[in-house]
């Protein structure tokens, strides 16, 4: 019996049906087709109907997957310009030399990868011959993110072009001699060739998206018109498993970045085996990119497949291609025609009949050789469609065979990523396949020769003519002779010298105020790029919203809810602030693009990226290495810093270790300033070094990491101490003495201790200084250690100089020379941070720090828990003096009891 209260299917449909009878007819027609011709035919008709609707602009959900065939059929392929035979010869030389370079280097055990470029050769060569614009082209040329494992092929092309010689190829992965080649794209190691580091995997695609976005930012802000520049990112299908690879796909489509193309080399293999053994990675990626709003072009099959598709009158071939998992496709690559006839064609009667019309050679040609990514005309068609598509970014899914042309021992083998060399016989087989004029006698003592047709050969002339027409060599990094940026007015920095008087000001607020003054500078203000991951109000930056504007390519299409307020939320097409939402990875990618604009675009930009310090280095340290490798310049600002200053937030927000991680990066200059005037001095020096006149021996290709605090404290006036600016920049200066602090230490020979502190810890040290004098008769001097890391690096350089026979004293030893008593160091970080300098301090040395996990509490409670508050410093100081016999041992116990420790 039917439940009268049951919800009927029609009631679940919230869309009104104007003509239910017509709807029923359509549904009946679909049922009839499915019954008469089968579900495959019904699905085919539905797919074609949806495609027609989409083509006519009817608003329907897009198909996320299409059939496992080429997006551009052979009949629709445009004629490729140029000489295809000449390009085949050039590609053959490059294939050979890439394999020879890695094989020759294998005797040194330095590794290298052969199979990746072998599969992707035509993806690069077609671009170099017809699409990739060089630095002399309009705008800034194109930006190329080369797949890291394909670097031997790029070196091989540079060798053919005369940009590298045989000695350099022989020094692949052996750089210490000074004439070698780095393993992967490393701009710091080969700065005239590589622009973008793309290993670690996953960072390339993320950076490419934000580079394309930053290009639009530069154009929309009127800094430089780079609208003619196109960003190309070459990726592996296995690399797309990295979360960073797909993290910003929606951003690219949301902002319509049609100046961006991803080329994914779908050889179906990751490092140890199939990417999707039981599935199909191409279909998965297509759905992912289509769902994110990208234009998708599949280039899967070569022209040898055309005959098979023409014979497929029932759709059986397309269905079979869609259902065969990737691992089985790899197996077909290594098996004979009989196996393929049985396993692929034999699964369907219609395909079995088709197979009878195919010779064994035809089957092997299709299944072993013919892939869309291996044919210049198909790659050209895909690239042309990509650069002409407007309104969205494009991804090209190009199917290839990993290890193509390297012989049966390499092609599609699971282990080919780890295979570093070919035998002489395998090279000879490869030579014959590629039709290269290399004689057997050229293999001297079993060493494979490099091949070169000659500097004036038709191949080299053709290559160079094509590059000249496209704007010069590629890839290439430009080192521009930029004039130093004028220094901002001294007033912006000097305003912090007088302190804040009775007003409590956090150093985070001091930094933001400094930036507000600097962005007003007529000469350099527009070059600042403020970057923040969504919490600008946390850092007090909302005052910048109406004055600078938040960048949006659409401007502001709505009336903001706070429009009637002074500091309203203002978006603008020429906005200066990059407010990225909750993505530290995206914000870092922004920073990298902005920090290298001096090279990429010949425009010096000054980025500062402000973030919760805990969610900077801990979360995105790999990108900070990428930043250093790419020679980026700018200011990273870890706000709400320290383990105890962020009240109540607890373990995951309490940063006690970011300076430790930052210290591992040679390009990072890490500072933990205590006062506003120190922040100003460090930023001033950073602008000089990175954008002005660097001193002799100074590397301008560095970035600054400043930790700033959200704890409002009195900001003192800048002491009149000789050399204080030098001390701030180098990392240490004496802030005061017991006497200059006005403390009455009764005994003329009172015991004395040196208190070194950084960041917010200096306030605890100053209170401890007072307690030591007033309650224990101990004199102490307080030092501000603005950078433990820079002190250590200077000391390491001094040690290295001594080994070279040069006399040099570390700055930390110079600064502390003659200071009486032991040294006690304290910071709001783990003890490992101040302990960086311990071995170069002549005095007895000990330290306090916030080791362990963070916890939720008040600032005072947290500091007492970690033993870094003023009272804990007093006890530690007394203990150190007691060990030296300068105070009574009982004083330590008395102090513990007095302070409840």
């Amino acid at each position: 019996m039917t439940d009268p209260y049951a919800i009927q299917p029609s009631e679940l449909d919230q869309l009104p049906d104007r003509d239910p009878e017509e709807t029923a007819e359509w549904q009946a027609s679909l049922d009839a087709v499915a019954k008469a011709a089968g579900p495959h035919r019904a699905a085919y008709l539905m797919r074609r109907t949806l495609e027609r609707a989409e083509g006519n602009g009817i608003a329907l959900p897009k198909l996320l997957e299409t059939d496992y065939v080429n997006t551009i059929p052979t009949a629709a392929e445009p004629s490729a310009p140029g000489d295809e035979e000449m390009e085949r010869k050039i590609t053959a030389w490059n294939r050979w030399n890439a394999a020879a370079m890695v094989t020759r280097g294998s005797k040194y055990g330095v590794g290298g990868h052969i199979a990746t470029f072998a599969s992707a050769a035509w993806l690069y060569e077609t671009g170099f011959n017809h699409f990739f614009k060089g630095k002399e082209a309009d705008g800034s040329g194109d930006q190329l993110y080369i797949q890291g494992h394909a670097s031997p092929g790029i070196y091989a092309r540079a060798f053919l072009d005369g940009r590298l010689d045989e000695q350099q190829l022989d020094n692949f992965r052996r750089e210490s001699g000074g004439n070698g080649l780095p393993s992967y794209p490393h701009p710091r190691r080969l700065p005239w060739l590589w622009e973008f580091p793309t290993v670690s995997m996953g960072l390339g695609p993320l950076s490419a998206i934000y580079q394309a976005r930053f290009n639009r930012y530069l154009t929309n802000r009127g800094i430089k018109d780079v609208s003619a520049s196109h960003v190309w990112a070459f990726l592996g299908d296995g690399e797309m498993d990295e979360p960073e690879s797909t993290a910003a796909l929606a951003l690219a489509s949301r902002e319509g970045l049609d100046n961006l193309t991803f080329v994914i080399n779908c050889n179906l293999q990751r490092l140890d085996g199939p990417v999707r053994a039981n599935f199909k990675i191409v279909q998965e990626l297509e759905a992912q990119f289509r769902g994110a709003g990208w234009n998708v072009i599949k280039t899967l099959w070569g022209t040898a497949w055309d005959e098979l598709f023409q014979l497929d009158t029932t759709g059986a071939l397309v269905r079979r291609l869609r259902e065969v998992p990737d691992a089985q496709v790899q197996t077909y690559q290594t098996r004979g025609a009989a196996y393929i006839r049985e396993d692929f064609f034999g699964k369907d009667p219609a395909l079995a009949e088709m197979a009878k019309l195919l010779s064994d050679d035809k089957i092997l040609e299709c299944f072993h050789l013919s892939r869309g990514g291996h044919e210049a005309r198909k790659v050209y068609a895909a690239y042309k469609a990509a650069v002409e598509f407007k309104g969205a970014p494009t991804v090209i899914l190009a199917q290839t065979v990993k290890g193509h042309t390297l012989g049966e021992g390499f092609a599609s083998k699971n282990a080919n990523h780890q295979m570093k060399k070919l035998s002489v016989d395998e090279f000879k087989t490869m030579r014959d396949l590629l039709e290269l004029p290399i004689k057997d006698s050229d293999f001297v003592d079993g060493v494979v020769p490099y091949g070169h047709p000659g500097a004036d050969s038709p191949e080299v002339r053709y290559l160079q003519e094509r590059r000249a027409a496209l704007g010069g060599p590629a890839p290439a990094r430009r080192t521009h002779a930029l004039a130093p940026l004028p220094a901002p007015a001294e007033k912006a920095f000097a305003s912090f010298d007088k302190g804040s008087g009775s007003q409590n000001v956090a150093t985070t607020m001091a930094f933001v105020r400094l930036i507000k003054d600097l962005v007003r500078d007529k000469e350099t203000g527009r070059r600042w790029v403020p970057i923040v991951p969504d919490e600008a109000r946390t850092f007090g930056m909302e005052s910048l919203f109406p004055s600078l504007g938040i960048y949006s390519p659409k401007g502001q299409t709505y009336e903001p809810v706070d429009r009637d307020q002074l500091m309203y939320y203002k978006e603008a097409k020429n906005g200066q602030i990059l407010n990225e939402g909750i993505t530290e990875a995206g914000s870092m990618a922004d920073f990298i693009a902005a920090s290298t604009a001096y090279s990429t675009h010949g425009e010096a930009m000054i980025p500062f990226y402000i973030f919760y310090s805990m969610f900077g280095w801990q979360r995105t340290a790999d990108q900070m290495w990428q930043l250093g490798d790419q020679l980026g310049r700018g200011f990273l600002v870890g706000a709400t810093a320290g383990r105890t200053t962020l009240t109540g937030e607890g373990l995951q927000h309490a940063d006690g270790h970011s300076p430790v991680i930052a210290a591992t990066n040679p390009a990072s200059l890490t500072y933990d300033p205590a006062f506003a005037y120190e922040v100003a001095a460090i930023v001033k020096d950073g602008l000089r070094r990175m954008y002005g006149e660097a001193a002799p021996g100074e590397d301008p290709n560095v970035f600054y990491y400043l930790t700033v605090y959200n704890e409002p404290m009195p900001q003192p006036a800048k002491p009149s101490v000789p050399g204080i600016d030098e001390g701030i920049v180098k990392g240490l200066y004496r802030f005061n003495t017991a006497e200059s602090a006005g403390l009455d230490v009764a005994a003329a020979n009172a015991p004395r201790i040196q208190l070194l502190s950084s960041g917010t810890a200096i306030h605890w040290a100053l209170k401890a200084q007072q307690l030591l004098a007033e309650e224990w008769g101990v004199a102490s001097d307080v030092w501000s250690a603005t950078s433990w890391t820079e002190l250590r690096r200077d000391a390491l350089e001094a040690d290295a100089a001594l080994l070279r026979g040069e006399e040099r004293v570390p700055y930390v030893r110079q600064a502390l020379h003659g200071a009486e008593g032991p040294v006690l160091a304290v910071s709001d970080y783990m003890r490992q941070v101040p302990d960086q300098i311990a071995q170069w301090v002549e005095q007895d040395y000990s330290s306090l720090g916030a080791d362990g996990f963070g916890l939720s509490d008040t600032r005072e409670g947290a500091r007492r828990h970690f033993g870094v508050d003023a009272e804990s410093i007093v006890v530690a100081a007394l203990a150190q003096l007691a060990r030296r016999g300068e105070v009574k041992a009982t004083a330590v116990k008395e102090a513990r009891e007095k302070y409840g420790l």
Side-chain angles (χ1 to χ4, degrees):
M1 179 178 177
T2 303
D3 182 353
Y5 298 102
I7 298 175
Q8 302 302 311
S10 60
E11 296 178 59
L12 295 173
D13 191 350
Q14 300 179 58
L15 299 176
D17 191 343
R18 296 189 311 179
D19 192 341
E21 185 176 345
E22 181 183 33
T23 303
E25 290 175 356
W26 277 75
Q27 292 171 337
S29 296
L30 180 63
D31 293 342
V33 171
K35 183 177 181 180
H40 294 300
R41 178 61 180 171
Y44 175 86
L45 291 175
M46 286 299 299
R47 185 179 292 277
R48 294 295 175 258
T49 301
L50 288 171
E51 288 173 349
R52 174 60 63 88
E54 183 179 326
N56 289 337
I58 298 174
L60 287 173
K62 290 188 176 182
L63 292 170
L64 294 186
E65 285 187 27
T66 60
D67 287 323
Y68 202 68
V69 296
N70 294 346
T71 303
I72 305 172
T74 300
E77 291 171 0
S79 298
D83 186 334
E84 187 171 336
E85 176 58 23
M86 187 64 68
E87 292 172 17
R88 185 197 66 77
K89 292 180 180 179
I90 292 170
T91 304
W93 285 116
N94 292 338
R95 286 182 183 278
W96 177 272
N97 288 322
M101 174 172 47
V102 176
T103 297
R104 287 167 67 125
S106 67
K107 66 181 179 180
Y108 301 105
V110 294
H113 304 285
I114 301 177
T116 295
F117 178 73
S119 67
W122 277 113
L123 302 180
Y124 291 106
E125 294 299 327
T126 304
F128 285 129
N129 288 328
H130 301 289
F131 290 94
F132 303 158
K133 295 186 289 290
K135 294 299 181 183
E136 303 304 323
D138 291 341
S140 304
D142 288 352
Q143 288 81 55
L144 307 180
Y145 288 78
I146 304 295
Q147 192 178 358
H149 293 139
S151 62
I154 308 305
Y155 290 140
R157 194 171 216 274
F159 171 64
L160 201 66
D161 193 14
R163 295 200 288 163
L164 293 175
D165 57 32
E166 286 195 17
Q167 183 184 17
Q168 288 171 299
L169 295 192
D170 263 350
N171 286 334
F172 174 57
R173 292 193 167 203
R174 294 191 299 137
E175 300 178 78
S176 60
N179 196 32
L181 301 177
S183 54
Y184 302 125
H186 288 305
R188 187 170 286 274
R189 291 302 185 198
L190 202 62
W192 60 267
L193 180 72
W194 297 121
E195 270 196 297
F196 306 108
T198 51
V199 177
S200 300
M201 288 191 289
L203 299 188
L206 179 67
S207 292
I209 290 174
Y210 280 89
Q211 181 67 56
R213 196 276 196 95
F214 190 74
N215 290 358
R216 291 281 172 85
Y217 172 89
L218 286 179
T219 300
N220 289 335
R221 287 197 54 218
I223 302 292
K224 182 179 182 179
D225 184 359
V226 293
S227 54
S229 293
H230 200 88
V231 177
W232 300 83
F234 288 83
L235 318 167
D237 47 0
E239 182 178 6
M240 300 310 294
D241 284 346
E242 292 283 5
E244 295 89 349
S245 295
T246 55
L249 297 187
L251 167 72
S253 61
R254 183 169 67 245
E255 298 203 1
L257 298 181
D258 50 24
N259 60 339
L260 170 68
T261 298
F262 276 14
V263 181
I264 302 182
N265 177 20
C266 297
N267 56 36
L268 313 185
Q269 287 184 251
R270 56 163 73 111
L271 307 187
D272 287 326
V275 179
R276 293 291 183 271
N278 296 296
F279 307 94
K280 301 192 78 64
I281 186 60
V282 169
Q283 300 299 86
E284 179 182 320
L285 291 174
E286 178 184 29
Q288 194 168 16
F289 278 88
R290 282 186 182 276
W294 287 52
N295 175 43
V296 179
I297 298 173
K298 294 198 290 193
T299 302
L300 307 180
W301 308 111
T303 53
W305 283 83
D306 287 348
E307 179 183 342
L308 275 68
F309 288 123
Q310 290 170 4
L311 293 172
D312 181 27
T313 59
T314 65
L317 177 61
V318 175
R319 290 196 301 273
R320 182 68 178 134
L321 288 174
R322 190 166 59 236
E323 70 187 21
V324 175
D326 284 351
Q328 191 63 25
V329 173
Q330 300 295 84
T331 298
Y332 294 149
Q333 181 70 35
T334 63
R335 301 298 176 88
Y339 179 88
I340 298 171
R341 284 183 187 277
E342 178 182 352
D343 191 85
F344 181 83
F345 293 98
K347 302 293 185 182
D348 186 290
L351 291 181
E353 289 300 314
M354 179 193 296
K356 294 177 181 178
L357 303 175
L358 303 174
S359 67
D360 286 354
D361 287 344
K362 181 66 177 180
I363 289 175
L364 293 179
E365 180 186 13
C366 289
F367 283 84
H368 285 192
L369 301 174
S370 187
R371 299 291 186 274
H374 294 323
E375 294 191 11
R377 60 180 293 178
K378 296 197 177 294
V379 175
Y380 178 86
Y383 286 7
K384 188 173 188 293
V387 297
E388 292 177 354
F389 189 86
K390 300 303 176 186
T394 293
V395 59
I396 296 169
L397 304 174
Q399 187 164 256
T400 65
V401 175
K402 192 167 185 177
H404 184 60
T405 73
L406 297 181
E408 294 181 1
F410 262 86
S412 290
K413 293 298 175 66
N414 283 341
N416 61 19
H417 185 78
Q418 305 301 328
M419 297 162 69
K420 312 300 182 187
K421 61 183 178 179
L422 296 174
S423 68
V424 169
D425 288 340
E426 287 171 326
F427 265 110
K428 290 178 179 179
T429 301
M430 180 183 178
R431 171 201 62 190
D432 297 339
L433 176 65
L434 298 177
E435 300 178 352
L436 291 172
I438 296 174
K439 302 184 294 293
D440 286 355
S441 58
D442 293 334
F443 292 82
V444 179
D445 296 328
V447 177
V448 58
Y450 293 119
H452 199 293
D456 195 40
S457 64
E459 293 93 328
V460 173
R461 288 201 306 271
Y462 181 90
L463 181 155
Q464 293 175 342
E465 288 168 1
R466 293 304 310 143
R467 289 312 314 157
L470 288 166
R477 181 179 180 275
R478 180 66 57 85
T479 302
H480 297 270
L482 297 178
L485 292 182
E490 181 64 27
K491 180 181 178 181
F493 305 104
S495 63
F496 294 92
D497 291 353
K498 60 184 179 182
S500 64
S502 59
Q503 183 182 8
N504 289 339
V505 177
T507 51
T508 299
M509 295 301 99
F511 176 81
V512 172
R513 178 186 149 192
L514 174 63
I515 294 300
K516 287 175 64 177
D517 291 339
L518 293 175
V519 296
R520 294 193 187 104
D521 185 86
K522 292 182 179 180
E523 295 290 335
T524 61
R526 72 191 189 111
R527 296 192 176 274
W528 283 88
V529 183
I531 302 167
V532 60
D534 194 42
E535 291 203 82
R537 297 180 194 277
T538 300
F539 309 132
M541 292 175 59
E542 65 268 28
S543 60
L544 300 177
F545 289 170
S547 58
L548 300 184
I550 299 166
Y551 173 74
S552 169
K554 289 185 175 294
Q556 193 155 39
T557 61
Y558 60 93
E559 182 178 357
V561 67
D562 54 358
R563 181 62 182 86
D564 58 340
Q565 298 179 15
L566 181 63
M567 292 183 287
Y568 69 97
Y569 195 84
K570 177 187 174 183
E571 297 188 78
K573 190 173 182 178
N574 64 346
Q576 194 164 349
I577 300 170
L578 292 173
N579 193 359
E580 287 305 349
I582 306 174
T583 167
E584 288 83 5
S587 299
M588 268 306 302
D590 263 335
F591 187 90
I592 291 170
S595 69
T596 54
Y598 74 91
S599 173
T600 308
H601 296 297
E603 296 287 345
M605 305 300 289
I606 312 172
F608 79 86
Y609 165 34
I610 188 167
F611 49 88
Y612 262 102
S613 63
M614 184 70 163
F615 304 132
W617 286 87
Q618 174 169 298
R619 181 166 290 187
T620 58
D622 199 12
Q623 287 179 285
M624 283 135 174
W625 275 98
Q626 180 188 15
L627 166 65
D629 196 357
Q630 201 167 318
L631 309 177
R633 306 170 183 174
F635 297 94
L636 297 176
V637 183
T640 58
R643 180 145 280 167
T644 70
T645 61
L646 190 58
T647 55
E649 289 286 354
L651 187 151
Q652 284 196 323
H653 285 66
D655 171 22
H657 52 278
S658 67
V660 177
I661 308 174
T664 66
N665 191 312
S668 173
L669 276 61
T670 303
Y671 288 91
D672 188 25
F675 303 123
Y677 67 80
E678 294 178 352
V679 172
I682 293 164
V683 172
K684 178 182 177 181
D685 187 71
L687 290 173
R688 174 200 62 79
R689 177 169 177 172
M690 295 184 292
Y691 300 97
E693 297 284 358
E698 275 187 330
D699 182 4
N701 299 315
V702 294
F703 59 92
Y704 282 62
Y705 175 53
L706 282 73
T707 51
V708 293
Y709 296 82
N710 70 324
E711 184 175 11
M713 300 293 289
Q715 295 298 325
K718 187 176 183 179
S720 298
V721 177
I724 186 172
D725 285 340
E726 179 188 26
I728 292 171
V729 173
K730 287 191 172 183
L732 183 67
Y733 69 96
R734 180 155 29 200
F735 176 73
N736 71 11
T737 63
E739 292 75 15
S740 67
L743 298 173
D744 182 18
V745 182
N749 60 345
R752 184 176 292 266
I753 189 169
Q754 308 298 316
L755 302 179
L756 275 58
S757 53
S758 68
T760 196
I762 201 168
H763 299 287
W764 323 329
L766 289 169
K767 183 179 177 182
Q769 180 187 47
Q770 183 178 359
L771 293 175
L772 283 166
E774 295 176 352
E775 300 183 5
W776 304 99
V778 173
S780 57
D781 302 341
V782 174
W783 299 69
S784 180
T786 54
S787 180
W788 309 100
T789 302
E790 287 306 295
L791 292 173
R792 175 179 175 80
R793 288 176 177 169
D794 172 79
L796 290 172
E797 291 173 4
D799 286 355
L802 286 173
L803 292 176
R804 296 191 300 268
E806 304 170 17
E807 289 295 328
R808 181 174 166 188
V809 180
Y811 175 79
V812 64
R813 187 169 294 169
Q814 295 178 43
L816 290 171
H817 181 68
E820 296 179 43
V823 168
L824 175 61
V826 61
S827 79
D828 203 17
Y829 295 96
M830 56 196 302
R831 290 175 60 181
Q832 187 174 339
V833 175
D835 283 353
Q836 291 180 87
I837 66 170
Q839 72 184 83
W840 293 280
V841 175
E842 293 180 334
Q843 294 86 346
D844 292 341
Y845 186 93
S846 65
S847 64
L848 297 175
D851 285 77
F853 289 111
L855 78 164
S856 300
D857 211 316
T858 63
R859 293 184 178 116
E860 294 75 17
R863 286 162 189 166
R864 177 55 59 93
H865 168 81
F866 286 112
V868 293
D869 59 351
E871 292 79 6
S872 298
I873 294 174
V874 170
V875 172
L878 294 173
Q880 203 168 358
L881 291 168
R883 283 194 295 271
R884 295 161 56 95
E886 296 179 19
V887 300
K888 294 179 180 179
T890 56
V892 180
K893 180 180 178 182
E894 291 174 15
R896 280 201 306 267
E897 294 174 351
K898 179 181 179 68
Y899 301 131
L901 295 178

